[in-house]
Amino acid sequence: MPKSFDENNYTLLCDFYEFAMSNGFFEIGYKEKIVYFDMFFRSVPDNASYAIIAGLEQIIEYFENLHFSDEDIEFLRTKKIFNEEYLEYLRNFKFECDVWAIPEGTVAFPQEPLIIVRGPIIQAQMVETMILLTINHQSMIATKANRIVSAADGRPVVEFGSRRAQGYTGANLGARAAYIGGCLGTANTLAEKIYGVPALGTMAHSWVQLFDSEYEAFKKYAEVYPQNCLLLVDTYDTLKEGIPNAIKVFNEVVVPSGNRPKGIRIDSGDIAYLTKKARVMLNEAGFEDAKIMISNSLDEFTIQNILHQGAKIDSFGVGERLITSKSSPVFGGVYKLTTIEEDGKLIPKIKISENVAKITNPGFKQLYRLYDKDTNKAIADVITLHDEIIDDSKEYEIFHPVYTWKRRVLNNFIAKPLLERIYDKGKLVYELPNIEDIKTKVQVELETLWEETKRLDNPQEYIVDLSYDLWKIKEELLGEHGKNIKRK
């Protein structure tokens, strides 16, 4: 298994209230109480309709390394609020939860359970922060990368954001997530060593500035890398100096060595105008095959705009606006209690809010995706109770969980459960895919979505419904709460 964590023990990386609560659970005799938590998100960044889920591999690495060292126990003791028996319990801590999750690279929608954790409440509560920070971050970057790649319309996108990421973990895991989301590679060398994300790069302005002339800088670079000569042409004057000097070096160094130039990169200026002029100059010089790469504070909207202006671009290097998801830098995943077990019986629980979007879906659940047999396009997702089976040999009625008069009877469809068993009583039972398979899965998943759902602006909302049995439980819990309010 690839290792992304360093030598630090991350077991204490959780909100302090999780320890305070678990100590309380221990003291009131609840340490073995079995509960269920769902991790899900309420909305997609950038007002998109879907998200690309990433980060499960790192969650598994975290689970596999969950332990409290003597130093951890001693630190917690200094807080002077924890029961000594509880601290001893932590010293002998063993992860024994059941976990279900949708695989990395899956397209997901708001309110759908991405990860379900079942186990003793101390354990299930303690993993909340790490699950959220891992899935939230990587899913945010994978989703942003996918939007940018979509806007590039088939042109390669390289993640260039390491130096603007929020810390080294953000740079490394962000590069991984961006690759899953569709990027060709990353500028981050360590990301290739750890995750196998191809590390790519060109020359920098400092190389050009180091020499007495731009021509000399280009010539020396071409002599070192004649087979991979891509020159940065905007250090001084792109059209009057940069491109003419590049063409001169291509003719004098690259072609005589038996190679063809890779192309040029432009990192500033009016990109649409400069690339159109550059394409003409390169073509007239006989370098129709030389590629034009651009960078400079790009995102899906700037890429879409400059392409609409007729820019002549072959690839993109996208940095800070990708690695930080600058336009919408929060993936609002949450982790909520949905069920408790009492004497082997499942008791659904619900969180109620005046904000309707924050009312949770109770119960132990499964998630189905329904596909049209003729087109293989996704029709709708249905959140069901865990033991429900959607029989696709029969017709099935879906309905809006709030506007229940909105109904549709489906025939000729395939029902696929999305949640897979990851842990069985603390034992890993899931085979991790490699990153190339995850990346491929994203592309396969996207092919099942209608183009209207994938629009960058004002996308069609995808249908996510509740099964009748789950909807009925939710309505009953809401009704019981209403009756209790009236009694008071």
Side-chain angles (χ1 to χ4, degrees):
M1 180 191 301
K3 296 296 181 185
S4 63
F5 289 155
D6 57 30
E7 295 302 315
N8 291 319
N9 174 12
Y10 284 88
T11 305
L12 291 184
L13 205 172
C14 59
D15 290 10
F16 187 70
Y17 85 88
E18 291 164 25
F19 287 112
M21 289 174 61
S22 61
N23 180 72
F25 296 144
F26 189 93
E27 291 212 26
I28 65 175
Y30 274 20
K31 72 172 184 176
E32 300 299 332
K33 180 175 281 293
I34 302 299
V35 300
Y36 297 70
F37 280 90
D38 284 6
M39 189 263 167
F40 61 96
F41 62 95
R42 296 189 177 110
S43 62
V44 186
D46 292 307
N47 297 314
S49 66
Y50 66 89
I52 305 297
I53 304 306
L56 179 59
E57 181 175 302
Q58 284 65 50
I59 292 297
I60 290 173
E61 291 174 8
Y62 165 71
F63 287 155
E64 292 293 286
N65 193 45
L66 264 178
H67 71 280
F68 290 88
S69 67
D70 291 342
E71 291 80 6
D72 293 337
I73 300 300
E74 191 54 39
F75 168 76
L76 292 172
R77 184 174 285 118
T78 66
K79 303 300 290 184
K80 300 185 184 303
I81 67 169
F82 298 120
N83 183 303
E84 279 298 321
E85 292 182 4
Y86 167 69
L87 293 178
E88 194 61 26
Y89 164 84
L90 295 183
R91 188 188 304 279
N92 300 305
F93 182 90
K94 182 180 179 182
F95 184 68
E96 298 174 323
C97 291
D98 298 306
V99 180
W100 296 261
I102 65 172
E104 286 192 271
T106 301
V107 168
F109 301 90
Q111 305 300 329
E112 298 183 337
L114 309 179
I115 296 178
I116 297 175
V117 178
R118 172 199 177 273
I121 190 167
I122 291 178
Q123 297 186 31
Q125 184 77 72
M126 190 178 296
V127 299
E128 173 183 3
T129 298
M130 186 58 83
I131 287 176
L132 289 175
L133 76 87
T134 303
I135 301 299
N136 280 340
H137 173 244
Q138 289 200 53
S139 298
M140 177 181 72
I141 302 303
T143 302
K144 186 66 170 180
N146 185 255
R147 289 173 59 80
I148 291 170
V149 169
S150 175
D153 196 23
R155 300 166 180 84
V157 175
V158 179
E159 183 274 304
F160 268 19
S162 303
R163 63 192 65 186
R164 303 288 173 80
Q166 280 99 344
Y168 57 85
T169 303
N172 293 334
L173 292 175
R176 177 184 189 271
Y179 188 63
I180 288 172
C183 287
L184 178 69
T186 177
N188 181 352
T189 310
L190 184 57
E192 178 164 2
K193 179 184 176 183
I194 300 175
Y195 307 117
V197 179
L200 307 166
T202 64
M203 71 189 314
H205 291 111
S206 59
W207 178 283
V208 179
Q209 293 172 285
L210 184 65
F211 295 88
D212 291 335
S213 71
E214 186 177 59
Y215 166 73
E216 183 184 1
F218 287 175
K219 186 172 183 291
K220 293 295 184 183
Y221 192 87
E223 289 171 352
V224 176
Y225 300 109
Q227 296 178 318
N228 192 33
C229 188
L230 193 149
L231 301 175
L232 180 60
V233 297
D234 72 327
T235 304
Y236 303 117
D237 189 308
T238 301
L239 298 180
K240 292 181 180 179
E241 298 179 70
I243 297 175
N245 282 328
I247 290 172
K248 186 176 182 181
V249 168
F250 292 161
N251 282 317
E252 293 179 355
V253 179
V254 178
V255 173
S257 71
N259 296 288
R260 295 294 293 175
K262 294 296 182 182
I264 63 172
R265 177 163 72 95
I266 301 173
D267 189 51
S268 60
D270 187 328
I271 297 296
Y273 172 77
L274 291 175
T275 58
K276 284 186 279 189
K277 290 291 186 180
R279 185 72 273 161
V280 171
M281 294 169 71
L282 290 168
N283 289 355
E284 289 178 348
F287 297 115
E288 295 90 346
D289 55 337
K291 305 298 184 183
I292 299 175
M293 182 182 195
I294 69 162
S295 45
N296 186 29
S297 298
L298 302 173
D299 61 16
E300 65 269 40
F301 300 109
T302 55
I303 288 173
Q304 189 177 66
N305 286 338
I306 59 179
L307 290 179
H308 284 169
Q309 294 169 43
K312 302 299 182 181
I313 300 167
D314 297 292
S315 63
F316 299 88
V318 185
E320 62 188 45
R321 297 187 184 184
L322 167 52
I323 204 66
T324 65
S325 188
K326 183 178 179 181
S327 60
S328 191
V330 176
F331 192 89
V334 295
Y335 188 78
K336 299 297 181 183
L337 180 74
T338 64
T339 308
I340 63 174
E341 287 188 16
E342 294 283 2
D343 300 322
K345 182 180 179 182
L346 300 184
I347 301 175
K349 294 290 182 176
I350 192 170
K351 177 188 178 298
I352 298 175
S353 171
E354 291 185 5
N355 182 343
V356 175
K358 289 192 172 185
I359 298 176
T360 61
N361 292 317
F364 178 28
K365 295 181 281 294
Q366 176 57 274
L367 173 65
Y368 282 88
R369 184 154 296 161
L370 311 184
Y371 300 89
D372 185 284
K373 278 187 177 180
D374 294 331
T375 64
N376 197 38
K377 296 294 186 182
I379 304 169
D381 286 5
V382 181
I383 307 172
T384 71
L385 296 174
H386 185 75
D387 57 358
E388 282 190 81
I389 296 176
I390 296 181
D391 186 352
D392 51 22
S393 68
K394 302 176 182 177
E395 68 178 26
Y396 186 79
E397 184 177 55
I398 58 175
F399 62 94
H400 194 288
V402 177
Y403 310 113
T404 55
W405 61 89
K406 293 184 177 182
R407 294 172 177 262
R408 180 181 174 186
V409 176
L410 302 180
N411 294 284
N412 195 41
F413 69 95
I414 298 171
K416 178 183 177 183
L418 299 186
L419 286 162
E420 298 187 21
R421 187 71 169 259
I422 310 299
Y423 278 87
D424 185 354
K425 297 179 178 61
K427 180 182 178 182
L428 180 63
V429 295
Y430 177 75
E431 184 175 346
L432 282 165
N434 63 49
I435 196 167
E436 296 298 336
D437 289 340
I438 298 171
K439 183 181 176 73
T440 299
K441 180 177 178 61
V442 173
Q443 302 310 311
V444 172
E445 291 262 314
L446 290 173
E447 286 298 317
T448 68
L449 300 183
W450 294 101
E451 293 303 314
E452 292 82 356
T453 303
K454 295 187 283 186
R455 285 194 298 249
L456 294 181
D457 292 312
N458 193 30
Q460 176 68 41
E461 183 179 0
Y462 182 80
I463 297 171
V464 178
D465 289 343
L466 305 182
S467 70
Y468 176 76
D469 289 347
L470 177 55
W471 175 83
K472 186 177 179 182
I473 289 173
K474 184 174 184 178
E475 289 297 301
E476 288 174 352
L477 290 175
L478 290 171
E480 289 174 10
H481 177 75
K483 290 178 182 177
N484 290 335
I485 292 291
K486 288 180 180 179
R487 291 192 192 104
K488 294 177 181 178

